[in-house]
Amino acid sequence: MGNISKYTNREDYELIFVDQNSPESNRVIDLNARHHRIDIDKHLKINHIGMSAAMNLGYKNSNPNYPYICFMHNDVFVWEGWLSILRSFIEKNPKTIIMPAQGPYSRDDVKKFYTEENPKGNDDAGMIMMTKEIFKKTGGWDERFKGVYQDVGFRARFPEYHFCTA
């Protein structure tokens, strides 16, 4: 979340943190305590309901005026310009669902991705971005997937969409 704040203009996003830390837990998280740099629009503190259900809850609590939705795991690191780059893929093809590849790649692999029209990388992204219109059509995340394979289940249900994975 620190990199989102660091590398993204504040007016370009809404940050919703779905915190599945049980309210009964003694662990208290104050994300703004460290250097007071992370701006969270909504911090939803809930009992553990599973990854898919948590992402659906985040969507339901999002601002309907934002046209895009981006789901991100806690181990994803973004870089300068990440949001505009991902949006550009969607603007070129509105049926695109972006899953940036985070797998191990050589520099030559990355250079090849830059030249391909529809690059295909490792699809274990930890992040997925699409328009909210597409997300509505999908019906959301399959809540039977509690902790793993929710991305696989999502892709399998919607083969008509173009998944960009590089």
Side-chain angles (χ1 to χ4, degrees):
M1 287 188 291
N3 277 13
I4 294 171
S5 295
K6 188 186 306 182
Y7 296 121
T8 317
N9 294 331
R10 189 62 185 105
E11 64 274 5
D12 291 342
Y13 69 94
E14 172 187 37
L15 181 60
I16 300 172
F17 175 46
V18 182
D19 183 355
Q20 293 196 73
N21 184 30
S22 170
E24 300 90 43
S25 170
N26 291 329
R27 190 178 82 158
V28 176
I29 299 174
D30 182 3
L31 296 168
N32 287 318
R34 186 162 186 214
H35 310 299
H36 303 284
R37 300 280 188 222
I38 301 171
D39 293 321
I40 299 173
D41 295 291
K42 294 177 185 164
H43 186 166
L44 308 176
K45 298 177 184 181
I46 59 173
N47 282 318
H48 185 74
I49 59 174
M51 185 68 154
S52 295
M55 290 191 294
N56 285 336
L57 181 64
Y59 167 77
K60 289 174 188 166
N61 280 273
S62 69
N63 182 335
N65 295 323
Y66 284 102
Y68 304 101
I69 187 85
C70 183
F71 301 97
M72 197 177 299
H73 295 195
N74 64 347
D75 61 349
V76 171
F77 291 91
V78 297
W79 60 94
E80 186 69 46
W82 72 279
L83 188 57
S84 60
I85 291 168
L86 296 182
R87 283 182 182 166
S88 72
F89 278 100
I90 293 173
E91 289 164 3
K92 288 177 191 171
N93 182 352
K95 283 189 123 181
T96 297
I97 296 174
I98 307 285
M99 299 179 81
Q102 293 194 88
Y105 297 104
S106 70
R107 180 66 182 149
D108 289 337
D109 291 335
V110 173
K111 287 179 181 179
K112 190 172 98 176
F113 289 153
Y114 290 143
T115 62
E116 294 177 350
E117 175 136 350
N118 294 310
K120 296 290 181 198
N122 175 327
D123 59 7
D124 182 12
M127 177 196 298
I128 185 168
M129 183 174 169
M130 67 197 87
T131 64
K132 285 188 174 176
E133 181 180 328
I134 285 177
F135 187 75
K136 283 183 209 172
K137 288 178 184 177
T138 69
W141 295 93
D142 185 335
E143 295 187 9
R144 293 176 295 175
F145 292 95
K146 302 293 184 190
V148 295
Y149 303 121
Q150 65 272 1
D151 293 349
V152 173
F154 190 85
R155 284 191 306 275
R157 289 174 32 222
F158 305 101
E160 70 272 18
Y161 291 105
H162 173 77
F163 286 88
C164 179
T165 59

